[in-house]
Amino acid sequence: MSDQKTIGVVIAGASGRMGRMLIEAVMADPGMHLAGALDIASSPSVGQDAAAFAGHDSGVVITASVDEALGGAEVLIDFTRPEGTMAHVAAARALGVAVVIGTTGFTDEQKAVLQVASQTIPMVMAPNMSVGVNVTLKLLEMAAKAMPTGYDIEVIEAHHRHKVDAPSGTALKMGEVIAQATGRNLKDCAVYAREGVTGERDPSSIGFATIRGGDIVGDHTVLFAGTGERIEITHKSSSRATYAQGSLRAAHFLSGKDNGLFDMFDVLNLNQA
């Protein structure tokens, strides 16, 4: 499929669960076509058709060559690991390919490199591409501004047993949104672990609790606990399909842009809300 009116999309991590869901979503989107599929050299899927898992013929073969995968593409969607994403972004920058990044767990140094790269190519970077999660972030911002004091704030998140980073990128983003809305710096007020005699809770702190088990796709709850009442704002994911659809919206958003670092608030126009 080579219709010039469609956006050529490359999927990184093509043989993983998220990669396969993204491939199916791209192939179902009339405004896009699958331009490439990328995976690590050790993947048994390298050399196979990208849609073979679904019994389809996409005409695109999974490759371990970043340059080969990106050739002729407009957008790369990457949900891999930080080290892989950094290498992919470097190649995308050299080739002028826009990037949608759903990878989490970046160091501050890696984030700085991505910021520099965004001066050359357009990028959407968000710890969670779900439309619902980003609407939840907006609700948290509103709640935090309305309740800057008098409420203890705790972020509780649960994910599947295979997730390698904790707290989740989404949980950290929730903390960042709340901290910014209340004039705090998350680095100064976050509490990630409690054990033993911890003393009385610091009212300015934002606590995090992490659960890992089973096949939980992703649950996040923020608790605002006051005197005589508490508010809980919760988002639960039952399928990664929501991440795929949000990623496609981000890819469409980048079409026609020359450079810049954006997030899902930009994609969904929530910064104006």
Side-chain angles (χ1 to χ4, degrees):
M1 186 174 182
S2 58
D3 188 344
Q4 294 183 352
K5 295 181 180 179
T6 62
I7 301 170
V9 179
V10 174
I11 304 302
S15 64
R17 287 178 294 177
M18 191 64 214
R20 291 180 172 182
M21 194 160 288
L22 284 163
I23 288 170
E24 287 189 300
V26 168
M27 293 178 64
D29 189 318
M32 295 181 166
H33 68 273
L34 188 65
L38 178 66
D39 217 323
I40 57 175
S42 60
S43 171
S45 296
V46 170
Q48 296 181 8
D49 188 276
F53 67 92
H56 301 308
D57 183 3
S58 69
V60 172
V61 174
I62 298 176
T63 178
S65 168
V66 184
D67 291 342
E68 180 182 341
L70 294 178
E74 284 80 49
V75 182
L76 165 70
I77 300 179
D78 194 313
F79 278 76
T80 57
R81 298 285 179 87
E83 59 274 15
T85 300
M86 297 305 295
H88 300 160
V89 168
R93 184 183 184 189
L95 295 170
V97 176
V99 185
V100 174
I101 301 174
T103 305
T104 60
F106 292 109
T107 64
D108 289 342
E109 291 76 15
Q110 289 172 326
K111 289 178 181 178
V113 172
L114 293 173
Q115 178 73 54
V116 171
S118 72
Q119 297 172 11
T120 305
I121 57 173
M123 301 167 55
V124 170
M125 181 176 173
N128 196 307
M129 294 290 171
S130 160
V131 172
V133 161
N134 284 279
V135 171
T136 300
L137 290 173
K138 190 65 180 181
L139 294 174
L140 290 173
E141 179 184 81
M142 295 169 62
K145 286 181 177 179
M147 300 179 289
T149 59
Y151 291 82
D152 297 323
I153 303 170
E154 297 285 323
V155 183
I156 305 103
E157 61 99 344
H159 282 84
H160 53 87
R161 64 168 67 95
H162 302 294
K163 188 166 180 60
V164 298
D165 57 316
S168 70
T170 301
L172 291 172
K173 181 64 175 179
M174 288 176 165
E176 289 170 2
V177 166
I178 293 166
Q180 184 175 7
T182 55
R184 288 178 264 183
N185 186 323
L186 187 62
K187 291 183 178 180
D188 299 330
C189 65
V191 174
Y192 297 112
R194 295 186 179 102
E195 183 180 7
V197 181
T198 62
E200 198 170 302
R201 189 187 195 281
D202 181 347
S204 68
S205 66
I206 297 175
F208 291 82
T210 297
I211 298 167
R212 293 288 177 267
D215 60 355
I216 302 170
V217 175
D219 293 353
H220 294 85
T221 294
V222 177
L223 172 68
F224 293 83
T227 301
E229 67 175 0
R230 67 177 183 269
I231 297 172
E232 296 181 14
I233 298 177
T234 297
H235 179 277
K236 295 186 177 183
S237 295
S238 58
S239 169
R240 291 175 177 80
T242 182
Y243 308 146
Q245 292 305 316
S247 298
L248 266 56
R249 288 184 67 165
H252 280 292
F253 171 84
L254 290 177
S255 181
K257 289 183 169 54
D258 295 325
N259 58 13
L261 182 59
F262 306 96
D263 60 20
M264 286 299 288
F265 271 31
D266 296 306
V267 174
L268 302 173
N269 201 31
L270 290 174
N271 284 319
Q272 307 303 318

